[in-house]
Amino acid sequence: MKAKSIKGKSTEAIEAALASSMTDGFKPNLAIVFLSIKQDRQGIVDVLQSKGIDVLGATSSGEFIDGHQDEESIAILLLDLSPKHYTILFEDIGDRVLQDAATQMARDALQKFSNPAFILCTTSLMEDGGILEGETLIRSLEKVVGPGSNIFGGMAGDDLSFTGTYVFTNGRSTKYGMAALLLDADKISLQGLAISGWKPIGVFRTVTKSEANLIYTIDGKPALEMYLRFLGSDISQANDQLNFFESLGRHYPFQIERDNREPLMCNPMGFDWEKGALICESNVPQGSRFRFSMPPDFDIKDTLEAKARELKGDTDADALLIFSCVGRLAALGPMAQQENEALQQVWNVPMAGFYCYGEYGRAVDGKHEFHSTTNSWVALKEK
Amino acid sequence: MNQQLQSVLDFIRHNENITEEEKNHLVALVKKANSDLEITEFKLERTEKVKRTTAILLEETIAELEQKRKAIEETNAALSKSLADLKATQAQLIQSEKMASLGELTAGIAHEIQNPLNFVNNFSEVSNELIDEMNEEMEKGDLEEAREIAADLKQNLEKINHHGKRADAIVKGMLQHSRASSGQKEPTDLNVLCDEYLRLSYHGLRAKDNAFNAVLNTDFDTSIGKINIVPQDIGRVVLNLLTNAFYAVNEKKKQRPEDYEPSVSIRTKKIGNKVEIRVEDNGNGMPESVKDKIFQPFFTTKPTGQGTGLGLSMSYDIVTKGHGGTLKLETKNGEGSTFIVEVPDV
Ligand SMILES: Nc1ncnc2c1ncn2[C@@H]1O[C@H](COP(=O)(O)OP(=O)(O)OP(=O)(O)O)[C@@H](O)[C@H]1O
Ligand SMILES: [Mg+2]
């Protein structure tokens, strides 16, 4: 597999970058595209398609490649990979339940490869203000393809405008669905890890009343009021949603206890002023136990780097993808980019990635999960 | 970019005295400095923010814990009240247990009083006749004879008085048993106390079930003399142990009517500056599982309604807490038990 990463702030810029990447005889047939909703998705797909390139794409909330990070831009990882080793899968969920669409995708995957691996991009924002149930999605895929399978990826973003997120391939695009680059894991090896770094603080609390992704009461007290009071927020208006997410929600997620697994990070996305409820990114069952959490320490980059080196050992790779939570950008500022750069330097291969609204990836305990707040990366290597 | 650094950068770029290579190097350095500065600024800002939030979060958590502490305190108070209520109830129960054991004693007491009463009745009847005889002798003028009869009369009256006092003592003892313990230690003849309760409890049982018979053995160490104890309390201990022993042998007798001879012994012994009371029976003894629990309040193997299971737990408290002594048990399942009370002689 050969790889190159390109970037640009317009379709023309990408067209030029693509052309120049091919001057040395590089002939990519696959592109993993992360771009702002402000960019011309169709235009980009057309440019790539005209060169016979297959596309897996997702909208984003900040894009980066090795040595460069930008907003409202386009980042692309170009690959020259034998078509025998991959395929692109696409599911528009439409009127189906998530489980059905996921099961369909998993079955198609098994049809294609007996040992499939997913680079998975899904939409995130739902009509009701919540986020696609990533956890349910992973469990549904796992049920068909088995719990050991590799699933890495991210949930699409929309520059924090909360107007809609998209995934797309050649000729298809959806606001509610999933697209995957399906790899033959017998031919391509994948190594990766998702690390959060958010630290629990304070006592364990219990969700005493909730409904889907709405939390009404915590330890018997009104949830919204408690969250605001505990984090010392001065939000006092129903229409402060964006301010809420920017200044609180994405910095201070809950760490929800899970049996035999790492805690699930869950960011409050907004609130329902009338009901005094918090709107969370995922469903929070009544009775869940959780702790507040604080953003990572400044040395999180070193931790990430050390873990990556440990995992890498003396293997190498052809390309690197990074799915970093948009919350990291807020909590780590310029250090979020440093983190990505450090990972790229560990592997020293072309890299592309984006700031997303949720991550798929391998947890430290080895299980493939849906995450939040993490930096989830995966290094690809043709065997 | 930082304004000052921007000026430096502009200066470098427009300076003609530096080579292109040097320029590039310097520009890179300034850019690096700028990015370091940006990161430092960010870190500072975030540290401030997180510090503030942490402070509030901890403050709120502390306030919340304080509330929980108060709630726990209230629960605690409520629990203490329940405990006090429970203790009061327990005290009442103990009192009713005393009354119940008094009931058991009544038959024995009646039996014990009957003896002196018989003496009193017999001797007073005989004395009545003797007075008639004496009058006759005096009319006859046989003063010698009259004096002899008067001497007999005096003897009889002394006997009547003796048995009257005996009955009096029994009644007093009974009253003492039912009264709440004074808690006062007083010099007490332990052997007399043991002997009295042995007879009372044995006859008590026989009065209820006259088919019951047991060999009673006593072995009292006369060198003990009077020791300082709370007589009502030690009396209750002895009574409890004996009642249990009789109950045990009686049960065994019911199981094996032919080849079993029930026997209960009570022994006292002075050992150094301690005094020991041993109550031994050849009943069925106890298995380990029972042995472990017998000193727990309300533990009983008697059929429901027949035992409160307070006997041994109260005895234990009286001996250990009340007298600084020990209450031990030796038992062999199927062969019998010996309870050993040891109290210091002070
Ligand atoms: N001498 C003994 N032989 C065999 N078991 C005994 C003997 N003494 C006590 N126990 C066992 O210990 C239990 C507890 O005795 P305790 O005197 O505390 O209560 P109780 O005799 O059952 O009831 P209560 O004394 O209120 O009539 C008895 O039920 C019996 O199982
Ligand atoms: Mg008893």
Side-chain angles (χ1 to χ4, degrees):
Chain A
M1 180 193 324
K2 267 199 76 176
K4 281 188 184 189
S5 57
I6 59 170
K7 48 123 178 136
K9 283 206 101 160
S10 67
T11 310
E12 295 70 40
I14 288 299
E15 201 165 4
L18 176 62
S20 97
S21 81
M22 293 166 67
T23 50
D24 62 357
F26 176 54
K27 260 199 76 54
N29 58 339
L30 178 59
I32 302 161
V33 180
F34 308 124
L35 50 63
S36 158
I37 50 164
K38 301 202 174 75
Q39 294 293 342
D40 176 9
R41 287 192 295 284
Q42 194 52 53
I44 294 291
V45 172
D46 289 346
V47 166
L48 291 164
Q49 182 139 10
S50 71
K51 297 276 193 273
I53 297 176
D54 292 333
V55 173
L56 166 71
T59 55
S60 49
S61 212
E63 307 75 27
F64 49 85
I65 62 167
D66 22 335
H68 185 86
Q69 174 176 308
D70 213 336
E71 287 165 9
E72 303 183 2
S73 67
I74 306 156
I76 300 178
L77 185 70
L78 296 167
L79 297 177
D80 171 5
L81 176 62
S82 163
K84 280 187 291 192
H85 300 342
Y86 78 88
T87 192
I88 304 278
L89 297 179
F90 183 90
E91 289 292 332
D92 185 357
I93 299 174
D95 294 333
R96 289 178 294 172
V97 290
L98 176 60
Q99 284 91 326
D100 290 351
T103 305
Q104 185 59 51
M105 180 177 267
R107 286 197 184 127
D108 291 349
L110 274 187
Q111 282 273 298
K112 180 80 186 169
F113 302 120
S114 60
N115 184 11
F118 295 81
I119 303 296
L120 179 67
C121 289
T122 68
T123 57
S124 52
L125 296 179
M126 307 281 287
E127 296 287 319
D128 64 7
I131 294 252
L132 187 99
E133 282 288 306
E135 172 101 9
T136 309
L137 171 56
I138 294 282
R139 299 282 92 86
S140 306
L141 288 176
E142 232 179 35
K143 227 174 169 174
V144 180
V145 297
S149 303
N150 287 297
I151 307 168
F152 294 93
M155 279 185 172
D158 66 352
D159 299 330
L160 294 182
S161 68
F162 298 108
T163 49
T165 59
Y166 299 85
V167 295
F168 52 94
T169 66
N170 311 55
R172 281 179 295 182
S173 168
T174 177
K175 217 178 166 177
Y176 179 38
M178 46 212 179
L181 164 61
L182 191 75
L183 296 167
D184 181 352
D186 290 336
K187 295 287 184 301
I188 314 283
S189 77
L190 297 92
Q191 279 185 287
L193 203 55
I195 290 182
S196 160
W198 258 259
K199 304 159 295 192
I201 182 171
V203 295
F204 270 102
R205 301 172 190 287
T206 306
V207 174
T208 38
K209 185 168 180 239
S210 69
E211 204 180 87
N213 64 337
L214 257 63
I215 302 183
Y216 291 99
T217 60
I218 296 168
D219 290 339
K221 287 175 222 133
L224 174 61
E225 191 198 307
M226 171 160 180
Y227 188 75
L228 295 179
R229 189 162 46 88
F230 267 77
L231 298 172
S233 163
D234 46 12
I235 286 172
S236 57
Q237 283 172 47
N239 55 12
D240 246 356
Q241 297 285 356
L242 198 56
N243 181 16
F244 172 87
F245 181 70
E246 296 239 315
S247 70
L248 286 183
R250 62 176 171 159
H251 295 274
Y252 304 106
F254 298 139
Q255 289 200 355
I256 302 178
E257 252 191 342
R258 287 193 287 200
D259 289 344
N260 304 321
R261 285 190 286 153
E262 294 185 344
L264 173 68
M265 306 291 294
C266 175
N267 288 88
M269 303 291 294
F271 53 82
D272 187 321
W273 191 258
E274 299 286 293
K275 295 178 179 160
L278 286 168
I279 302 172
C280 294
E281 62 175 311
S282 52
N283 286 351
V284 183
Q286 217 159 281
S288 301
R289 290 195 350 129
F290 72 89
R291 292 171 77 184
F292 282 115
S293 71
M294 305 294 285
D297 286 332
F298 294 137
D299 62 3
I300 183 67
K301 181 194 104 191
D302 302 336
T303 310
L304 241 72
E305 197 180 333
K307 289 268 184 218
R309 270 190 207 290
E310 194 183 309
L311 194 62
K312 177 177 182 293
D314 35 69
T315 62
D316 58 0
D318 300 325
L320 178 66
L321 286 167
I322 298 179
F323 306 91
S324 181
C325 179
V326 71
R328 297 187 89 77
L329 202 49
L332 296 171
M335 287 176 288
Q337 186 183 0
Q338 280 194 330
E339 205 174 70
N340 300 331
E341 293 294 341
L343 288 172
Q344 193 272 330
Q345 273 150 32
V346 168
W347 289 99
N348 198 23
V349 290
M351 174 273 276
F354 75 108
Y355 291 102
C356 49
Y357 288 2
E359 307 80 57
Y360 304 104
R362 181 175 168 273
V364 178
D365 65 12
K367 290 177 179 149
H368 284 259
E369 306 274 12
F370 168 63
H371 305 276
S372 187
T373 75
T374 64
N375 177 307
S376 176
W377 57 267
V378 56
L380 308 177
K381 162 96 184 151
E382 190 166 10
K383 289 181 185 170
Chain B
M1 175 167 271
N2 174 283
Q3 236 176 5
Q4 283 78 7
L5 287 176
Q6 187 64 54
S7 309
V8 175
L9 206 57
D10 292 343
F11 175 79
I12 295 169
R13 283 198 174 123
H14 297 120
N15 193 316
E16 276 142 28
N17 299 328
I18 331 177
T19 66
E20 202 54 31
E21 199 181 329
E22 281 171 329
K23 259 187 201 178
N24 286 341
H25 183 59
L26 287 174
V27 166
L29 285 181
V30 172
K31 279 190 173 161
K32 176 80 174 71
N34 185 61
S35 114
D36 286 353
L37 187 67
E38 268 174 16
I39 288 177
T40 310
E41 272 170 357
F42 177 85
K43 282 185 178 174
L44 201 65
E45 195 191 324
R46 209 200 82 175
T47 306
E48 278 307 314
K49 203 176 161 212
V50 168
K51 200 176 78 187
R52 198 177 59 100
T53 316
T54 315
I56 297 169
L57 201 142
L58 287 181
E59 230 168 76
E60 288 292 338
T61 309
I62 289 166
E64 201 185 36
L65 288 177
E66 175 62 17
Q67 267 182 9
K68 285 191 179 149
R69 192 188 62 77
K70 278 211 185 104
I72 288 172
E73 224 165 56
E74 277 163 28
T75 320
N76 232 339
L79 275 177
S80 299
K81 165 110 177 49
S82 314
L83 192 67
D85 290 353
L86 205 73
K87 281 200 174 137
T89 318
Q90 210 177 16
Q92 271 174 14
L93 251 170
I94 288 173
Q95 187 54 29
S96 27
E97 217 266 347
K98 275 188 199 174
M99 297 318 280
S101 65
L102 182 65
E104 269 175 25
L105 280 182
T106 323
I109 289 164
H111 176 271
E112 286 293 282
I113 292 178
Q114 195 58 52
N115 267 339
L117 276 183
N118 286 346
F119 278 113
V120 169
N121 287 340
N122 289 343
F123 283 117
S124 56
E125 266 168 37
V126 171
S127 299
N128 219 358
E129 284 163 16
L130 282 179
I131 285 181
D132 289 345
E133 270 178 40
M134 193 171 74
N135 281 340
E136 275 169 31
E137 294 302 334
M138 288 210 302
E139 263 161 40
K140 276 194 236 161
D142 189 345
L143 281 185
E144 192 56 25
E145 191 59 29
R147 244 183 236 120
E148 262 176 38
I149 294 173
D152 285 351
L153 259 177
K154 189 171 165 62
Q155 255 184 8
N156 279 359
L157 284 176
E158 271 165 10
K159 281 181 184 152
I160 288 172
N161 186 249
H162 170 78
H163 289 288
K165 277 189 178 150
R166 165 109 188 94
D168 184 60
I170 291 166
V171 171
K172 280 216 179 93
M174 183 177 83
L175 289 175
Q176 215 173 31
H177 180 85
S178 64
R179 256 200 316 267
S181 157
S182 63
Q184 290 297 317
K185 294 204 176 92
E186 48 191 83
T188 308
D189 190 328
L190 186 68
N191 294 340
V192 169
L193 184 129
C194 288
D195 191 43
E196 215 148 72
Y197 277 107
L198 176 65
R199 276 185 295 142
L200 286 178
S201 52
Y202 179 60
H203 291 300
L205 203 70
R206 269 178 54 82
K208 269 196 269 178
D209 176 4
N210 57 12
F212 175 70
N213 258 308
V215 177
L216 305 185
N217 295 309
T218 55
D219 180 3
F220 295 133
D221 180 349
T222 48
S223 75
I224 295 172
K226 291 200 168 183
I227 58 164
N228 239 353
I229 51 172
V230 187
Q232 302 96 313
D233 287 354
I234 293 295
R236 293 169 45 67
V237 172
V238 171
L239 179 65
N240 273 324
L241 297 182
L242 287 167
T243 317
N244 285 350
F246 284 125
Y247 185 87
V249 293
N250 196 15
E251 286 299 290
K252 192 167 176 179
K253 183 72 189 167
K254 283 186 205 159
Q255 292 164 7
R256 295 165 44 182
E258 325 80 26
D259 60 339
Y260 170 65
E261 188 174 52
S263 114
V264 170
S265 338
I266 182 159
R267 294 190 182 85
T268 58
K269 194 170 185 180
K270 189 168 164 67
I271 305 168
N273 52 357
K274 287 186 190 141
V275 171
E276 183 189 86
I277 310 166
R278 278 177 175 262
V279 177
E280 188 176 345
D281 67 68
N282 64 348
N284 274 324
M286 287 164 245
E288 282 298 313
S289 57
V290 171
K291 197 181 154 191
D292 288 345
K293 300 197 195 96
I294 54 168
F295 293 116
Q296 292 173 10
F298 305 111
F299 174 79
T300 177
T301 54
K302 289 182 179 169
T304 355
Q306 285 200 29
T308 61
L310 281 173
L312 283 178
S313 88
M314 267 170 22
S315 300
Y316 189 84
D317 283 354
I318 290 171
V319 173
T320 57
K321 290 186 197 151
H323 291 82
T326 56
L327 174 55
K328 289 190 191 134
L329 161 66
E330 287 165 7
T331 183
K332 234 181 169 181
N333 200 10
E335 291 183 18
S337 318
T338 308
F339 282 87
I340 304 144
V341 179
E342 207 176 70
V343 287
D345 174 17
V346 283

